[in-house]
Amino acid sequence: MSSEELAGWLRLTLTIGVGNDAARRLLAAFGLPQAIFEQSDSALGQLLTPAQVKAAQTEPPGLSALLRTTQDWLAAQADPALGGRMIVTLGDPAYPLSLLATDDPPLMLYLLGQVQALAPQSAHQRSPVAEPTEAADGRGHAANGWPSRAIAMVGSRNPTPQGAENARQFARSFSAAGLTVVSGLALGVDGAAHDGALSAWPDAATADPSGRICTVAVIGTGIDRVYPRQHHELARRIARQGLIVSEYPLGTPPLAANFPKRNRLIAGLSQGTLVIEAALQSGSLITARLTSEQGKDVFAVPGSIHNPQSRGCHALIRQGAKLVETAQDVLEELRWPATVVAIESEAASAEPTCATGTLDTEDEVLRALGSDPVGLDALLARTGLDTPRLQARLLELELDGHVARLPGGLWQRMARA
């Protein structure tokens, strides 16, 4: 992309009052952005309001500085382990086809990571308003390299330990079955999903030699920022084995309004969405709604009736989302090719055990815990143990990963997803 072309796209995205919808009308009428800004007021007035025409005829403040910053970012010698850098626009052959089928595809996407997997369809660019095609190769990639077998995973930023473990195990199973896991790099379920997908990789230090994109993180900031800060190392791992995607210009801070908006991209890049633990007001339900509006499947993992983080999933199930208990449930529902579905999930088939035998039949404390969070007083009554013995046993089980301590003095049994 030339400097003039990049400047045109940046100007179009920065023009106040001209959103994606109006910009697409302009692109369809006049071609590339440079041509748009060469039009007369009367020509632009056929598609824009007077206020939009005035804004389009004025160079946005900060454009020159942003152009230099963006060029420097593209030209910088990144750590080889972090893959490459790339910007794709609506007219680019490497633009994800699945987003073209959505109501509000972004004008530009900033990419960091395994961009070499995104091979152009042909030597000629598509029109910015071209219709998407569905052809895919044997690796589960669309014709231009974007994953055609992708599952979105979203959920609470404050999941229970079991919810986080469920996300990790589901994602690991999906990745082992050849799917790409798409999420938002947020705390909680998002981070666990990315981590689970990465953990299925044969070599955590390098990209998959087959060229498959392991996981995609869609972020709500500029791609030169990592938010939250706790996920700095996770972002590096994703860049080594997948892609980080943003529609926002470099330097964009973590503004609250951007995160619900980016959810449409998470839904758009996926063939279905799995929700793991979500409160009734969770942003994850926005992603689920957008997925449903795009005609795709929504899946939800049920939880305890006493857990507020399960109520969003239960509401989705009442509204028609598919209840799932294992990764295999999702794979079969989506009717992936038999070579993918046939791969057994270790997480789905494993039975939890401990040194004394099966947990279900041998350990009295685990039997007393059941499946819901329980307080110490209730456990004392159920087991008949004295306080020191019960606390000692709970500590042993916690160290072995069989139980987790929750806020409020509660304990929860951990099971594999």
Side-chain angles (χ1 to χ4, degrees):
M1 185 185 301
S2 68
S3 176
E4 292 76 15
E5 187 176 353
L6 177 59
W9 282 103
L10 290 174
R11 179 174 174 177
L12 186 59
T13 61
L14 293 179
T15 300
I16 297 174
V18 177
N20 288 348
D21 185 59
R24 287 194 298 274
R25 294 199 303 270
L26 292 170
L27 290 167
F30 304 117
L32 292 175
Q34 302 100 297
I36 294 173
F37 299 111
E38 295 171 353
Q39 303 301 314
S40 65
D41 288 1
S42 59
L44 293 176
Q46 300 297 315
L47 299 170
L48 302 178
T49 67
Q52 289 174 325
V53 170
K54 183 177 181 180
Q57 296 290 34
T58 305
E59 182 175 302
L63 175 61
S64 297
L66 179 60
L67 175 60
R68 289 193 299 271
T69 299
T70 305
Q71 290 175 319
D72 291 344
W73 178 78
L74 286 169
Q77 291 296 320
D79 182 341
L82 298 183
R85 302 175 180 193
M86 186 177 184
I87 292 176
V88 296
T89 65
L90 276 175
D92 196 304
Y95 194 91
L97 304 179
S98 59
L99 289 186
L100 290 177
T102 64
D103 292 336
D104 187 24
L107 302 181
M108 301 176 67
L109 289 175
Y110 300 76
L111 311 177
L112 175 65
Q114 301 307 307
V115 298
Q116 71 278 2
L118 308 179
Q121 289 177 317
S122 69
H124 303 286
Q125 286 193 330
R126 293 192 311 267
S127 162
V129 292
E131 291 297 322
T133 59
E134 298 297 331
D137 64 15
R139 298 175 301 158
H141 287 179
N144 64 350
W146 282 87
S148 62
R149 299 175 191 145
I151 183 76
M153 291 185 61
V154 295
S156 172
R157 284 176 168 79
N158 298 289
T160 64
Q162 183 65 65
E165 182 62 18
N166 286 347
R168 193 170 287 107
Q169 293 294 341
F170 268 94
R172 179 179 175 84
S173 297
F174 291 144
S175 185
L179 277 64
T180 296
V181 173
V182 182
S183 198
L185 197 61
L187 293 174
V189 166
D190 285 20
H194 290 305
D195 181 65
L198 293 166
S199 71
W201 224 248
D203 184 352
T206 60
D208 177 35
S210 73
R212 184 166 60 95
I213 295 173
C214 170
T215 186
V216 175
V218 184
I219 62 176
T221 66
I223 205 164
D224 55 339
R225 297 192 174 206
V226 175
Y227 180 82
R229 292 180 180 178
Q230 299 95 308
H231 280 171
H232 184 80
E233 180 55 32
L234 178 60
R236 289 177 63 87
R237 292 169 59 203
I238 293 171
R240 283 196 296 266
Q241 301 173 321
L243 282 175
I244 300 175
V245 179
S246 175
E247 66 176 308
Y248 298 106
L250 297 176
T252 302
L255 303 175
N258 289 350
F259 292 92
K261 186 178 178 182
R262 65 91 193 266
N263 290 349
R264 80 191 194 286
L265 304 187
I266 295 176
L269 289 170
S270 310
Q271 282 66 60
T273 293
L274 173 64
V275 183
I276 299 180
E277 287 199 347
L280 286 173
Q281 302 302 318
S282 172
S284 302
L285 302 191
I286 298 175
T287 309
R289 175 178 57 79
L290 294 168
T291 300
S292 180
E293 290 175 354
Q294 292 174 14
K296 302 172 184 176
D297 289 317
V298 177
F299 307 93
V301 177
S304 168
I305 61 173
H306 303 294
N307 179 12
Q309 301 285 31
S310 296
R311 291 174 185 167
C313 290
H314 294 169
L316 289 174
I317 292 169
R318 285 195 294 270
Q319 294 163 13
K322 297 172 176 63
L323 184 155
V324 298
E325 297 174 321
T326 69
Q328 192 71 16
D329 294 338
V330 177
L331 296 172
E332 292 174 353
E333 186 67 33
L334 289 175
R335 297 183 176 87
W336 297 115
T339 54
V340 174
V341 177
I343 297 177
E344 291 189 6
S345 164
E346 175 186 350
S349 60
E351 292 294 335
T353 61
C354 67
T356 58
T358 61
L359 300 181
D360 286 331
T361 59
E362 298 295 335
D363 192 279
E364 60 179 327
V365 174
L366 285 166
R367 286 200 306 272
L369 272 168
S371 299
D372 292 336
V374 179
L376 191 64
D377 289 342
L379 285 176
L380 288 170
R382 292 178 186 180
T383 62
L385 299 175
D386 56 46
T387 301
R389 288 178 60 198
L390 178 59
Q391 290 179 328
R393 183 58 183 143
L394 286 170
L395 178 59
E396 292 174 357
L397 292 169
E398 182 180 18
L399 293 174
D400 288 339
H402 297 308
V403 302
R405 194 190 308 257
L406 305 182
L410 300 177
W411 292 86
Q412 182 181 40
R413 179 174 177 170
M414 298 289 289
R416 305 195 73 176

